[in-house]
Amino acid sequence: MPLTGIEIFKLLPRTNCGQCGVPTCLAFAMNLAAGKAELSSCPHVSEEAKAKLEEASAPPIRPVTIGAGEGQVKIGGETVLFRHEKRFENPTAIAMLVRDDMSDDEIAARLEKFRTLRYERVGLMLKPDMVALEAASGDPERFARVAARVHADTGGAAMVLMSEQPPLLARALEAVPGSRPLLYGVTTENLEAMLELAKAHQASLGVKGNSIDEAIAASQKLLDLGCKNVVLDGGARSLKAAFEEQVAIRRAALLQKFRPLGFPTIVFPCRMTDDPMKEALIAATFIAKYGGIVVLSDLEGHSLFPLLVARLNIFTDPQRPMATSEGIYPIGNPDDKSPVLVTSNFSLTYFIVSGEIENSRVPAWLLVQDTEGLSVLTAWAAGKFVADTIAALVKKSGIADRVSHRKIVIPGHLAAESGALEDELKGWQVLVGPREGAHIPAYLKNWQAA
Amino acid sequence: MSWLAFTIPTITYTGKVKEISLGPPERAVKVGNAGCYPFHLFEGEMGNPPRIAMEVYDVTPEDWPPAAREPFADVLSDPVAWAKKCVDVYGAEMVCLQLVSTDPNGLNRPAGEAAATARRVADALTVPLLVWGSGDVEKDAEVLRQVCEACEGKHLVVGPVQDKNYKKIGAPAIGYRHTVIASTPIDVNLAKQLNILLGNLGVPDELLVMDPTVGGLGYGLEYTYSVMERMRMAALTQQDDRLQFPLVCNLAKEVWKVKEVRLDDPKLGDPGKRGILMEAITAVLLALAGADVLIMRHPEAVRLVRGYLAEMMGVAA
């Protein structure tokens, strides 16, 4: 539970030394409460106070980091039930299941898919995040060998090592030193041994309950023993029950500050159906509704891609419009006779306009102006997408070297700018395009360079 | 060690979504009536499950990817046969006729022709019919007015009714007893305002549903998703009477127009399955956000989502 400024003030030295940058401890406390300062700015705060403040300021769902180096994945840290209340912090990690009793060929094929199924979109790389390796063979040597293989072939992707037997996990952990995987699953029976392993290898622990009460029991015990890198599974294996479980855990953590459930979750769509299409819908559900890690039975481009895009949508910060970078975007191999269109850099605008240009099958140059992520009409109203700015972009972009004609198409909503733009861009003819993206194909089909 | 068995922290709901009957009274499909957040059945009643309307076009679609055309290849040029196929073969609970031919930026076919098509489809159907205009404010005013008139007694659901044409469409809808779909551009306040305006015009609550405007997967879905969650929150926990109407999501046409359903790239897997999943995942996310009616296209996406909804409602076989 967040502390108030006064509560924080009581924990500070109250010397008003000013070394934190503000004149009084009270002012500093107020800034801390408002999230405008860091506790580390105070050189004199006691260790005891520091611990208390950190505990109090920890998000209701602890952030947990799994893996090391480039493959590292961060989950949890969530603070809201609905994304519009603030934002969802750490995207649901998408894991691919591998079993150590699969053939070497099958494992190789899966790891190949894990490596290659990645997609660039709005300058972001969309890709699966983790491999969940299940000890199904029962052979510690085999499990360790496959773990090492996964680690090597994925370039150190974060792993979930799935077994309830500490000796099996111990052998695998030796084979992938420093990989800091998630060890799943901890039960009340194996808890002490699992905790020891986790401590020795800086691994996180995945609690595996057969019910939410069992998960709470194990998680509480881990908390009592000082373990904070925990991931929860309450054991639900039907869509409806798992949905309820995810809502229960998120609510208990946020609304009741119930620490034993204040951890990210792991969900297993792969165990809820045998139909891969249905599995994709289940996975989408837990991307939207509170899954920390979602484990898929396999990766296929036709399901992975829509899921990655769904995740991108849900985890977009609602307070910050997504933007694409300024510049010239060639669409469909344009040449010097192809039309030049200009638009704003709000991602959605860019997607729609570029998509419609593709739909038209008329190759074109799309000039995207940095409008600070605002849409065409909003940017225009704010004076950020007007004759001056467009003229400046046309000049600095070098588009004049790419085309032999001198015509530029502006969005229909910017019709009022056309006169001023022609004054600014000597020698260019400014054409007013459609107001709606959907009308671009019809417009372009009638476009003539000469 | 001992503790009380864990119980889910519940939310107290103070409002409810209105229940609206769509279609002719003797075979109406009821939508809405939610008294809790979507699928939060542990703390309330959801009323009616989200319903699926399958869409039909008034003119042969020229630009659909093969996967979307294939199931309807024999009926694409005949909206009546198409609508019947949706019901007879694919078990559609409702049908939505998309009057794209009337778009002034496209074929710009006359309103009278569209109204006649709507009448023929309505005559052939035993399930409720939604009729969706081109979205052009002026043309829709004319098209949907004529549709209302030509389909007197058919109890259609007509839209999109926007703030700039609500009088011209609302009045004939009241006169001929059709339900109107109040459409606003992804904005809670504008939605509320349009509902108030329609009420002032005389549209009774039982003839009103809402269209929040749908962005497809990867193309603004998150805006629709959050605006719907906010609308539901206002309806259920803030007693906002003017937002307590069922939500209709016209999603398939948004999903199937994007380039990602067309690309041929081995990394993107099977194009047909990809399109189906993009449609079905969009539908699932909208249902989680509060959709009461999902307007869908591909029979396989419909089948998947139908099964999904049944499972979420706890009625799965």
Side-chain angles (χ1 to χ4, degrees), chain A residues 162-240:
Chain A
M162 297 171 64
S163 168
E164 287 170 41
Q165 298 179 31
L168 264 173
L169 290 169
R171 181 67 197 88
L173 283 164
E174 283 163 23
V176 283
S179 66
R180 307 182 65 172
L182 173 67
L183 307 180
Y184 170 92
V186 176
T187 65
T188 36
E189 283 80 55
N190 67 12
L191 192 138
E192 280 81 8
M194 293 289 263
L195 183 58
E196 219 167 283
L197 277 179
K199 277 186 178 155
H201 296 273
Q202 293 179 294
S204 336
L205 289 175
V207 163
K208 183 185 185 185
N210 286 315
S211 66
I212 222 166
D213 284 323
E214 269 189 37
I216 291 169
S219 165
Q220 180 64 61
K221 200 157 181 197
L222 288 172
L223 275 174
D224 292 345
L225 294 168
C227 176
K228 287 171 184 167
N229 292 317
V230 175
V231 176
L232 299 171
D233 169 22
R237 290 295 181 268
S238 78
L239 169 62
K240 184 171 183 283

Side-chain angles (χ1 to χ4, degrees), chain B residues 232-276:
Chain B
R232 249 328 113 89
M233 201 175 257
L236 297 173
T237 67
Q238 294 150 20
Q239 292 126 301
D240 200 329
D241 174 65
R242 289 301 91 192
L243 288 169
Q244 291 169 338
F245 294 93
L247 290 161
V248 177
C249 293
N250 196 356
L251 65 104
K253 68 185 175 79
E254 301 303 323
V255 172
W256 288 93
K257 77 177 183 192
V258 311
K259 64 172 183 273
E260 286 87 351
V261 299
R262 287 166 216 281
L263 298 178
D264 221 348
D265 175 352
K267 278 195 340 189
L268 289 167
D270 179 85
K273 287 181 180 170
R274 188 197 319 141
I276 289 164

Side-chain angles (χ1 to χ4, degrees), chain A residues 83 119 213 251 285 313 439, chain B residues 6 43 105 218 226 267 308:
Chain A
R83 61 188 287 284
Y119 313 93
D213 284 323
R251 278 201 189 161
T285 305
N313 283 172
H439 303 146
Chain B
F6 174 75
E43 62 185 7
N105 293 291
S226 283
K267 278 195 340 189
Y308 173 90

Side-chain angles (χ1 to χ4, degrees), chain A residues 81-85 116-119 121 212-213 216-217 220-221 224 238-240 243-244 247-249 251-252 255-256 258 261 272 275-278 280-282 284-285 288-289 300-303 305-307 309-310 313-314 316 318 321-322 346 348 351-352 354-356 358-359 361 438-439 442, chain B residues 1 3-11 13 37-43 103 105 216-223 225-227 229-230 233 257-260 262-263 265-278 280-281 284-285 288 300-301 303-305 307-308 311-315:
Chain A
L81 286 166
F82 299 98
R83 61 188 287 284
H84 67 257
E85 293 172 327
T116 54
L117 295 181
R118 45 184 61 200
Y119 313 93
R121 205 164 190 274
I212 222 166
D213 284 323
I216 291 169
Q220 180 64 61
K221 200 157 181 197
D224 292 345
S238 78
L239 169 62
K240 184 171 183 283
F243 175 77
E244 193 173 313
V247 174
I249 292 173
R251 278 201 189 161
L255 305 179
Q256 299 179 330
F258 185 54
L261 293 182
M272 299 182 197
D275 174 355
M277 299 290 273
K278 194 173 152 188
L281 303 195
I282 297 173
T285 305
K289 292 294 169 187
E300 293 293 349
H302 51 251
S303 51
F305 175 75
L307 287 174
V309 174
N313 283 172
I314 295 294
T316 294
M322 296 230 300
F346 177 39
L348 203 53
F351 277 136
I352 291 169
S354 62
E356 294 294 352
E358 272 181 45
N359 282 345
R361 302 202 169 82
H439 303 146
Chain B
M1 202 189 297
W3 56 86
L4 292 172
F6 174 75
T7 50
I8 304 181
T10 51
I11 284 177
Y13 299 104
Y37 289 142
F39 310 109
H40 287 50
L41 297 166
F42 50 86
E43 62 185 7
D103 188 348
N105 293 291
L217 186 64
Y219 291 83
L221 178 61
E222 68 271 34
Y223 299 94
Y225 181 89
S226 283
V227 112
E229 286 199 327
R230 289 174 60 199
M233 201 175 257
K257 77 177 183 192
V258 311
K259 64 172 183 273
E260 286 87 351
R262 287 166 216 281
L263 298 178
D265 175 352
K267 278 195 340 189
L268 289 167
D270 179 85
K273 287 181 180 170
R274 188 197 319 141
I276 289 164
L277 282 177
M278 287 181 71
I281 287 173
V284 159
L285 293 175
L288 288 169
E300 184 56 20
R303 192 188 67 80
L304 282 167
V305 173
Y308 173 90
E311 216 168 302
M312 287 294 272
M313 296 298 294
V315 296

Side-chain angles (χ1 to χ4, degrees), chain B residues 56-62 76-77 79 82 98 100-101 107 109:
Chain B
V56 163
Y57 283 71
D58 70 335
V59 64
T60 311
E62 299 296 343
L76 285 173
S77 60
W82 187 344
Q98 310 263 21
V100 289
S101 78
L107 295 174
R109 296 256 181 88

Side-chain angles (χ1 to χ4, degrees), chain A residues 46-307:
Chain A
S46 71
E47 284 305 315
E48 185 197 354
K50 207 187 267 179
K52 269 192 190 160
L53 282 168
E54 273 168 7
E55 179 66 23
S57 63
I61 293 177
R62 284 189 178 277
V64 173
T65 302
I66 301 165
E70 281 193 17
Q72 203 171 67
V73 169
K74 191 174 173 190
I75 56 173
E78 301 300 335
T79 59
V80 294
L81 286 166
F82 299 98
R83 61 188 287 284
H84 67 257
E85 293 172 327
K86 188 177 178 199
R87 65 174 165 268
F88 288 166
E89 298 290 340
N90 291 304
T92 308
I94 294 182
M96 173 186 68
L97 186 71
V98 171
R99 291 195 326 264
D100 72 346
D101 63 347
M102 288 170 172
S103 72
D104 287 346
D105 287 350
E106 168 72 16
I107 290 170
R110 283 180 176 242
L111 297 178
E112 166 80 13
K113 281 194 277 191
F114 184 88
R115 274 198 311 273
T116 54
L117 295 181
R118 45 184 61 200
Y119 313 93
E120 207 190 321
R121 205 164 190 274
V122 227
L124 296 172
M125 187 57 80
L126 308 185
K127 58 182 182 58
D129 313 279
M130 307 179 79
V131 174
L133 173 60
E134 184 179 9
S137 71
D139 172 2
E141 295 310 312
R142 171 73 181 163
F143 189 48
R145 232 174 16 249
V146 177
R149 173 94 191 262
V150 169
H151 186 71
D153 285 10
T154 59
M159 278 193 282
V160 187
L161 295 178
M162 297 171 64
S163 168
E164 287 170 41
Q165 298 179 31
L168 264 173
L169 290 169
R171 181 67 197 88
L173 283 164
E174 283 163 23
V176 283
S179 66
R180 307 182 65 172
L182 173 67
L183 307 180
Y184 170 92
V186 176
T187 65
T188 36
E189 283 80 55
N190 67 12
L191 192 138
E192 280 81 8
M194 293 289 263
L195 183 58
E196 219 167 283
L197 277 179
K199 277 186 178 155
H201 296 273
Q202 293 179 294
S204 336
L205 289 175
V207 163
K208 183 185 185 185
N210 286 315
S211 66
I212 222 166
D213 284 323
E214 269 189 37
I216 291 169
S219 165
Q220 180 64 61
K221 200 157 181 197
L222 288 172
L223 275 174
D224 292 345
L225 294 168
C227 176
K228 287 171 184 167
N229 292 317
V230 175
V231 176
L232 299 171
D233 169 22
R237 290 295 181 268
S238 78
L239 169 62
K240 184 171 183 283
F243 175 77
E244 193 173 313
E245 183 176 291
Q246 293 303 308
V247 174
I249 292 173
R250 176 68 60 98
R251 278 201 189 161
L254 264 49
L255 305 179
Q256 299 179 330
K257 316 292 172 196
F258 185 54
R259 282 288 179 210
L261 293 182
F263 295 107
T265 61
I266 183 166
V267 193
F268 293 90
C270 58
R271 296 277 154 80
M272 299 182 197
T273 175
D274 295 328
D275 174 355
M277 299 290 273
K278 194 173 152 188
E279 186 183 322
L281 303 195
I282 297 173
T285 305
F286 297 115
I287 285 170
K289 292 294 169 187
Y290 316 145
I293 302 171
V294 157
V295 183
L296 301 178
S297 62
D298 198 0
L299 298 181
E300 293 293 349
H302 51 251
S303 51
L304 179 64
F305 175 75
L307 287 174

